[in-house]
Structures are given as C-alpha cells and as structure tokens.
Amino acid sequence: MTEQTQTPTSQYVLECRDVSRTFMIGRGPFTEKRPLRAVQDISLQVRRGEVLAVVGESGCGKTTLAKMLLGLLEPTAGDILYEGVPISSVDRRDVARRIQPVFQDPYSSLNPRKTLAQIISLPLDVHKIGTPAERKARVEEIMELVGLPRRLLYSYPSQLSGGQRQRVAIARALAMKPEILVCDEPTSALDVSVQAQILNLLQELRDELNLTYVFISHNLAVVEHMSTRVAVMYLGRLIEFGMADQVFDHPRHPYTQALLDSVLTPEPQYSLPNIAMGRGFPNPLNPPSGCAFHPRCPHATELCQWAQPQPLAADGGTVECHLHSDPDAMAKSPRINEQKASAA
Ligand code: SF4
C-alpha cells in the first residue's frame, strides 16, 4: 500500500468520477465490432460504514460497475478512487486486501475439490499472511463469525446447503479483514427463507466489523432494509441516486417508481411487472435515442425521444429525467406512449 492510502485522505472510501466502460462486441472475426456502453459517465461516492445499494435490471451495467470497484476491470474513461487515490495506482494485492467480493452463485464460486478450511484460508495462503497455525485459527474464528459449525471444517461444498455455501463465500471474503465488501446479488441464487438469513448475517457482520458494503441487486425489496443510499441504474446510466429513505419514500425517476411497484407484485422476480410499460429491456448494442427509458416510460414526450437528460442535483442526490430538469419544456412537448400512461 502506498503511503498516500495508509492515511485516509478523502471523506469517501470509494468514489467513481465520470466512469465509463465500453466493450467492443463482434459476432465473429470478420464482422465489424460495435461498442457496447456498459457503464456511462457514472459519478457516485461510497462513505465509510454505509451500505450503498446499486439496483437495476439484468444488463443495466451494475456488475460491470462492481468489477471496476473491485479493481478487476479498468474504466475506459473516468477514475475510480480508493480513499482519494486512483485505484489503478494502488498495488493490486492491497486492493484485494481491502475490497473483497461476494458473488451471486455460491455453487459455482467455490472450488468443489477443496475443503472449507482450504477455501477460506486461500486468500491468507496467497498473501502469505500468518503461520499455518495462525491461519487455521483465523479460519475457525471466521467460521464461528458467519455461523458455520467447526465440524464442517473439512467438508466439501457439495456437502453443504445453499445457505451454508454462501456463508463460506462470505467467510472467504472476510479472511483478510477487508474494509469493503462488494456483494453482487449475494442472495439471488438462494431460497427466499435462506435469503433473509444471509441478509441478517451481512447486517450483523457490518455492525460488528464496521464494514462498508456496495450491494448489487435487481430487487429493491432485498436492499430496502439494509441500504443507507441507493443508486438506480438503467442501460449503463445512473438515473437516480440518493438517501435510501428519499428513494424509497419519494422516488423521482419513473423507472425507480416502476421498480418499487414491482416489489408489491406476486412476481417480483420480473422486476418490472407493469405490463403496459413492458418487460422488454432494450438491446444495449442498439440503445434508444434521447432518454434510453423513453420507449417504456408513461411520461415520455417527444423531447425525451431526442434529448438525453442531464443529472440534476436534488435533496443530496441526483436524478436524470426531463420531468425534473426541464419541466417547462416537458409541459410543451407532445406526449408519446399514451397507452402506457393510461395503464400506469
Ligand atoms: Fe421518462 Fe422522459 Fe424522464 Fe426519460 S426523461 S424518464 S422518458 S419522462
């Protein structure tokens, strides 16, 4: 770790400044590659000890953002800062010690040929932390912390339930005493009853270890009770960002309102149950012009079809919608999607 990062120099433990990530996608060696703008011009900050929820449908760019926050992927534009220092200038091993991932699927993220003891101590082995006896003691300590009985020490992942496997994944992430966990849909592969247990565990660990979480989810219901701030993404853009109370009680962006409506339906797995609005997510390789949400938005006007709304700072957060930034122009612009508006 550089000297600069040993002493916190920023009020934010993590920060994105105008971060973009574009992938060049082609079907074969002889087809022309096209840009897929997975993340576009995102600026957000993570405060020490908070739970920042990043929500949106599959394909909105939240996992790409998570990988950049973990230092696993370089932005094509903009900067990711760790305690005020560009993460690209921090030693890769130091980033790994301080920021750890918890992935979505504990079935595929754990090596089936390794015992729990080997899986959880792997980061300590790789970073050569402690003696073998100290590592074993640390593994036992973490297993107790995450609620795994010591008798499972030499069990294999195939001998565990889904919830136990996710506890192993969390234990492995905690082995090196990180400051930040980036949790990418950590409960979406689990049964509903087990989801609640894992969410409670994460909350307890955060309080006990003073952790900071970036919590990625497609489902607002999952993050409602634990997030302090919420970032809503749509087609690579940050369309609403604010304090959790503000976003949950007074959502300003029509897409956030639709996500919240989905929490109240019997089919929350669909994220956007409003049939009139449409469940179809646009093709990121061929995004709609103007505001990318306009084909599904019940409030869209002709202005939305050609003009990209800019982020508007409001109530300590931001919202990206012409209804808020250009209310006069919206009032004069003819409505489109009238059918969606009447059904919404
Ligand atoms: Fe809907 Fe227009 Fe706002 Fe986009 S800018 S969310 S289309 S009202």
Side-chain angles (χ1 to χ4, degrees):
M1 174 64 68
T2 64
E3 207 159 296
Q4 254 179 312
T5 53
Q6 282 170 349
T7 309
T9 54
S10 167
Q11 59 173 315
Y12 306 122
V13 66
L14 270 179
E15 190 177 354
C16 296
R17 286 193 191 156
D18 300 320
V19 166
S20 297
R21 173 72 205 199
T22 301
F23 298 99
M24 296 306 291
I25 307 288
R27 287 219 180 110
F30 305 112
T31 57
E32 199 180 334
K33 290 197 158 88
R34 295 161 66 191
L36 187 154
R37 301 190 70 195
V39 168
Q40 298 179 45
D41 304 324
I42 284 194
S43 293
L44 56 78
Q45 308 79 30
V46 186
R47 298 181 183 132
R48 190 176 299 281
E50 81 167 337
V51 180
L52 171 68
V54 180
V55 297
E57 287 164 281
S58 297
C60 72
K62 48 193 195 310
T63 294
T64 301
L65 180 66
K67 285 183 180 166
M68 289 192 286
L69 292 174
L70 284 160
L72 301 175
L73 203 57
E74 292 258 329
T76 40
D79 288 309
I80 308 263
L81 308 180
Y82 169 75
E83 292 190 339
V85 178
I87 209 164
S88 54
S89 68
V90 179
D91 185 285
R92 180 73 201 93
R93 284 166 304 176
D94 288 325
V95 175
R97 287 179 75 143
R98 284 163 171 75
I99 312 173
Q100 277 285 310
V102 177
F103 291 116
Q104 175 176 5
D105 186 357
Y107 296 87
S108 60
S109 65
L110 303 180
N111 187 333
R113 293 192 188 85
K114 303 278 186 194
T115 65
L116 265 59
Q118 290 170 314
I119 290 169
I120 299 170
S121 72
L122 183 66
L124 302 172
D125 299 339
V126 169
H127 290 262
K128 298 185 173 56
I129 296 172
T131 63
E134 286 166 343
R135 288 178 211 162
K136 182 167 182 282
R138 175 73 183 143
V139 168
E140 290 177 356
E141 181 192 358
I142 308 170
M143 283 181 68
E144 192 177 337
L145 203 58
V146 301
L148 285 168
R150 197 175 296 186
R151 66 181 157 75
L152 296 178
L153 200 55
Y154 299 106
S155 300
Y156 290 88
S158 61
Q159 297 171 292
L160 307 181
S161 67
Q164 285 174 326
R165 289 182 210 201
Q166 196 54 296
R167 286 174 195 266
V168 176
I170 294 168
R172 180 180 56 185
L174 293 175
M176 292 200 298
K177 303 184 179 174
E179 298 165 24
I180 305 167
L181 291 190
V182 177
C183 306
D184 189 359
E185 303 267 15
T187 61
S188 63
L190 304 174
D191 292 343
V192 174
S193 59
V194 182
Q195 282 186 11
Q197 292 169 18
I198 296 298
L199 290 174
N200 288 339
L201 172 66
L202 285 169
Q203 212 149 5
E204 286 162 19
L205 290 171
R206 177 197 161 218
D207 296 342
E208 197 167 332
L209 305 176
N210 195 26
L211 292 164
T212 302
Y213 289 160
V214 177
F215 201 102
I216 311 280
S217 179
H218 70 281
N219 190 339
L220 274 175
V222 166
V223 298
E224 183 170 6
H225 297 296
M226 63 187 301
S227 56
T228 46
R229 287 192 302 158
V230 178
V232 185
M233 288 183 69
Y234 188 78
L235 219 61
R237 297 191 73 86
L238 182 63
I239 51 100
E240 183 158 4
F241 180 44
M243 296 302 294
D245 291 352
Q246 168 70 41
V247 174
F248 283 109
D249 296 342
H250 306 288
R252 288 165 297 191
H253 196 285
Y255 178 66
T256 314
Q257 290 160 5
L259 278 181
L260 279 167
D261 287 346
S262 75
V263 172
L264 305 173
T265 76
E267 300 175 284
Q269 70 271 28
Y270 286 118
S271 293
L272 276 181
N274 187 331
I275 305 297
M277 189 171 284
R279 285 175 181 153
F281 193 70
N283 179 356
L285 278 170
N286 188 20
S289 59
C291 170
F293 190 54
H294 85 254
R296 302 165 87 184
C297 179
H299 308 286
T301 70
E302 287 180 7
L303 174 68
C304 308
Q305 284 182 301
W306 59 266
Q308 167 67 56
Q310 294 306 308
L312 175 77
D315 300 324
T318 57
V319 62
E320 196 174 274
C321 171
H322 290 305
L323 285 173
H324 301 275
S325 53
D326 309 283
D328 295 341
M330 283 294 277
K332 289 179 199 147
S333 184
R335 291 278 285 266
I336 58 174
N337 303 341
E338 285 298 345
Q339 266 188 329
K340 292 183 175 71
S342 57

